[in-house]
Amino acid sequence: MDLSLTARAEGGRTVIEVAGEIDVYTAPKLREKIAALVDDGVYDLVLDLDRVEFLDSTGLGVLVGGLKRVRTHDGSLSLVCTQERLLKIFRITGLTKVFDIHPDVASAI
């Protein structure tokens, strides 16, 4: 499975729709996308993970790295996630305390 990334501006933030699998092979693509946006001066991001089918530790590392990157510019990175299997990963790793996780894009913005 590949990783699909689509970015759009909405409500003063940039929403990145993520679809597919975020694993050791595809995570660099997400890392590069976040880095490119930050390099372009975009510091308030929303990652819509509702179409993500798989997330491994490499993917989690990219999410945490992205959060650190935007925070160095006083930015924010929020997640949209309703899938229980992904939410469970965030709970087990304690990342629910690190990320703002929302049920939909509207509430994340």
Side-chain angles (χ1 to χ4, degrees), residues 38-76:
V38 171
D39 289 346
D40 288 342
V42 178
Y43 307 129
D44 292 306
L45 303 176
V46 175
L47 293 182
D48 185 348
L49 304 178
D50 267 349
R51 294 177 45 215
V52 170
E53 298 171 15
F54 178 79
L55 176 67
D56 72 2
S57 60
T58 307
L60 289 175
V62 168
L63 296 178
V64 171
L67 180 63
K68 288 179 180 179
R69 187 179 290 255
V70 297
R71 281 189 175 168
T72 61
H73 299 281
D74 293 323
S76 64

Side-chain angles (χ1 to χ4, degrees), residues 14-105:
T14 298
V15 178
I16 304 172
E17 289 183 18
V18 186
E21 297 181 356
I22 307 173
D23 59 22
V24 68
Y25 302 106
T26 61
K29 184 176 178 181
L30 179 58
R31 180 184 299 115
E32 291 165 11
K33 182 68 171 178
I34 293 170
L37 286 167
V38 171
D39 289 346
D40 288 342
V42 178
Y43 307 129
D44 292 306
L45 303 176
V46 175
L47 293 182
D48 185 348
L49 304 178
D50 267 349
R51 294 177 45 215
V52 170
E53 298 171 15
F54 178 79
L55 176 67
D56 72 2
S57 60
T58 307
L60 289 175
V62 168
L63 296 178
V64 171
L67 180 63
K68 288 179 180 179
R69 187 179 290 255
V70 297
R71 281 189 175 168
T72 61
H73 299 281
D74 293 323
S76 64
L77 190 150
S78 300
L79 305 179
V80 173
C81 184
T82 57
Q83 297 183 57
E84 186 54 39
R85 68 180 182 277
L86 295 183
L87 291 169
K88 184 176 181 180
I89 292 169
F90 290 118
R91 281 193 297 272
I92 289 170
T93 57
L95 291 175
T96 53
K97 295 176 178 73
V98 176
F99 287 103
D100 290 327
I101 302 176
H102 301 271
D104 54 46
V105 172

